[in-house]
Amino acid sequence: VTLAMQDDDKCIIDPQRSRWTKQWDILMLLALAFTAVVTPVEVAFLDEGEYITPLWVWNRVVDLIFLLDMLITFNMAYQEEPDIGGHWVFSRRRIAIRYLCTWFVIDLFSVLPFFLITLRYDDLFNANASDDSNNVGAMTRATVLFRVVKLLRMLKLARIFKATQVIERHILDVVLTKWEWTYSQLKAIKLIAWLIL
């Protein structure tokens, strides 16, 4: 792990020099793609949530990846917008403030364990699937909770917009270092793209 050492902000990850951040970004894009495909299908068509199934386990693995990403984001330097200089910021305080003001709330809600509300603790692995002796009141309550949790799971889809940051960081790296474009050229291209849209 390559770390940028500052006076008061030690152990800040420098994404330009770190070898593993590119692999982490690929893993994050895969997790976001999984979320983009699986979550809408789950919410619309599947009755996942009451029992531990292979899909349930995969969802928890993705949640763990997102949780680790939150911890990494609090410790990773970021590049300012080209309009204000495009400098890299290594101040832990500024990194935390920026993250708390932008993606933190969405990231936090996407990893909260809402599944604990609907999980059936008496029969975690659906061993008694053929038992129809449940009373109607318990089924109604479970159905309502299950639908609420399904809607809350849709919050994960908001993380997909974070993929644009990962892609933009890699595009900026290629454009500025390998192609040697300037920020004014990037601004002109961005303006032309907006006009075309």
Side-chain angles (χ1 to χ4, degrees):
V1 178
T2 305
L3 302 171
M5 305 299 277
Q6 296 292 324
D7 295 336
D8 58 339
D9 299 308
K10 295 180 180 177
C11 301
I12 298 295
I13 302 165
D14 185 351
Q16 290 179 304
R17 296 190 181 126
S18 178
R19 294 178 185 168
W20 63 270
T21 53
K22 289 183 181 175
Q23 286 84 9
W24 180 255
D25 287 342
I26 291 169
L27 181 65
M28 277 301 300
L29 289 174
L30 290 173
L32 289 168
F34 175 85
T35 301
V37 172
V38 172
T39 301
V41 171
E42 233 180 348
V43 170
F45 302 113
L46 301 179
D47 289 333
E48 290 288 326
E50 288 187 65
Y51 305 108
I52 295 178
T53 62
L55 183 58
W56 186 91
V57 172
W58 277 109
N59 276 318
R60 301 301 69 84
V61 169
V62 170
D63 288 346
L64 179 64
I65 291 170
F66 288 158
L67 186 62
L68 289 173
D69 183 60
M70 288 176 67
L71 296 174
I72 289 171
T73 304
F74 271 117
N75 295 291
M76 185 178 289
Y78 71 92
Q79 190 172 17
E80 292 179 336
E81 295 294 321
D83 302 341
I84 55 175
H87 301 290
W88 283 90
V89 176
F90 292 95
S91 167
R92 186 178 302 280
R93 182 175 177 273
R94 287 181 61 191
I95 292 168
I97 289 171
R98 178 179 182 259
Y99 184 44
L100 289 170
C101 293
T102 54
W103 285 99
F104 178 74
V105 173
I106 293 170
D107 289 350
L108 179 66
F109 274 101
S110 72
V111 297
L112 285 177
F114 293 118
F115 62 88
L116 293 175
I117 298 171
T118 58
L119 199 61
R120 290 186 53 157
Y121 296 99
D122 56 339
D123 187 15
L124 282 178
F125 297 98
N126 198 14
N128 299 321
S130 61
D131 186 16
D132 293 331
S133 62
N134 296 336
N135 65 23
V136 176
M139 286 180 63
T140 305
R141 180 180 171 274
T143 304
V144 170
L145 282 175
F146 184 66
R147 287 181 181 165
V148 169
V149 171
K150 273 186 158 188
L151 288 175
L152 291 173
R153 271 201 250 159
M154 292 299 284
L155 289 172
K156 283 186 179 183
L157 293 179
R159 287 189 70 105
I160 294 169
F161 295 109
K162 199 170 185 179
T164 58
Q165 284 183 336
V166 174
I167 295 168
E168 183 180 345
R169 184 170 67 223
H170 289 290
I171 289 174
L172 278 176
D173 184 40
V174 169
V175 166
L176 294 175
T177 57
K178 293 183 181 173
W179 296 351
E180 297 180 354
W181 288 5
T182 62
Y183 283 113
S184 58
Q185 290 171 322
L186 286 177
K187 285 177 73 173
I189 292 169
K190 192 175 180 181
L191 178 62
I192 291 168
W194 277 110
L195 287 172
I196 290 170
L197 285 174

